[in-house]
Amino acid sequence: MATLNFDGSKLYRAKGTPKLPPKVALALLNQSARTSSRSLYDPFCGGGTILLCARKYFPNHYLTISGADIDPLAVEATRLNLLDSIPETELLQNIVPRDATKDTLPTGTDLIVTDPPFGRRCPVSEGFLEKAFLNFRNQNVQDIFFCYDGKTPLQNELKRIYTVKEFKRDWGRAFYHAQAK
Ligand SMILES: C[S@@+](CC[C@H](N)C(=O)[O-])C[C@H]1O[C@@H](n2cnc3c(N)ncnc32)[C@H](O)[C@@H]1O
């Protein structure tokens, strides 16, 4: 189990993109490291905190680390934040602009650890998360670890394709593990 030793305050972020505290990223990663899934992807990578923490605290654990965001500026921020820990060619291939609700994931992705958009700062339409999760499930993603406001109910569609268990509350959020049925 990794323990935190940086606060993320110096990380770049795209304007308007919330900054995820490293403690949240680490709580999700500590749980996800217990599964056998090893090809990590963050489809809503924002500033890349989760991906950076994965590199920093679990250097030999993941087979691949990749991420995407619909906002090209967020993709740029993530690339800058990962520049010291991932070779540049891999960064350009593995951190890309992509729409999580419909686009193809990197080959072999079995694990998602993410902080999806919701709430006032990142408004999305109703059913957005379910649409994205359905896309992940259709591409064989086994495990998803994510945080959410803890108030908006998760829809039945999501529970049909994944078993969803809450495992922690912190930073005004509930943390979940969605495991493929
Ligand atoms: C809460 S932020 C993620 C923060 C990030 N996990 C981190 O580590 O810093 C949510 C992100 O989802 C992105 N987003 C919104 N709709 C999207 C979509 N359809 N596909 C991919 N990314 C999307 C936003 O641009 C935003 O950067």
Side-chain angles (χ1 to χ4, degrees):
M1 188 122 151
T3 331
L4 197 65
N5 62 358
F6 94 120
D7 68 3
S9 58
K10 297 206 171 70
L11 295 181
Y12 297 98
R13 72 185 173 96
K15 201 164 175 264
T17 305
K19 206 180 227 175
L20 186 72
K23 68 168 187 170
V24 173
L26 200 61
L28 291 166
L29 288 164
N30 273 331
Q31 284 290 322
S32 72
R34 296 177 176 180
T35 69
S36 56
S37 300
R38 292 279 184 277
S39 293
L40 170 69
Y41 179 63
D42 182 353
F44 307 105
C45 68
T49 315
I50 289 171
L51 301 176
L52 184 63
C53 286
R55 265 286 165 173
K56 197 171 159 59
Y57 294 106
F58 301 89
N60 303 313
H61 182 76
Y62 297 106
L63 301 174
T64 53
I65 290 184
S66 42
D69 199 287
I70 203 163
D71 180 354
L73 295 177
V75 170
E76 207 43 51
T78 297
R79 285 178 178 168
L80 285 171
N81 288 330
L82 293 177
L83 207 55
D84 292 337
S85 49
I86 299 186
E88 202 173 337
T89 42
E90 269 181 52
L91 265 188
L92 298 177
Q93 275 168 22
N94 294 357
I95 314 294
V96 295
R98 187 177 280 144
D99 182 341
T101 57
K102 50 183 178 206
D103 291 351
T104 308
L105 306 182
T107 314
T109 300
D110 55 6
L111 171 65
I112 282 178
V113 180
T114 197
D115 171 30
F118 61 85
R120 199 169 38 89
R121 296 198 56 190
C122 264
V124 284
S125 56
E126 205 190 318
F128 171 88
L129 196 61
E130 286 70 21
K131 202 167 164 194
F133 276 39
L134 195 57
N135 185 33
F136 304 151
R137 187 70 195 94
N138 286 340
Q139 296 180 62
N140 294 322
V141 172
Q142 295 302 304
D143 293 286
I144 306 179
F145 291 82
F146 66 107
C147 51
Y148 201 52
D149 62 6
K151 295 176 213 136
T152 317
L154 297 165
Q155 293 180 7
N156 287 337
E157 179 60 7
L158 199 153
K159 293 184 182 154
R160 188 178 65 74
I161 49 175
Y162 285 100
T163 305
V164 188
K165 286 195 187 131
E166 185 182 317
F167 63 88
K168 188 179 165 78
R169 276 183 189 241
D170 191 10
W171 195 50
R173 299 192 175 188
F175 294 46
Y176 298 95
H177 177 194
Q179 196 167 27
K181 281 187 174 166

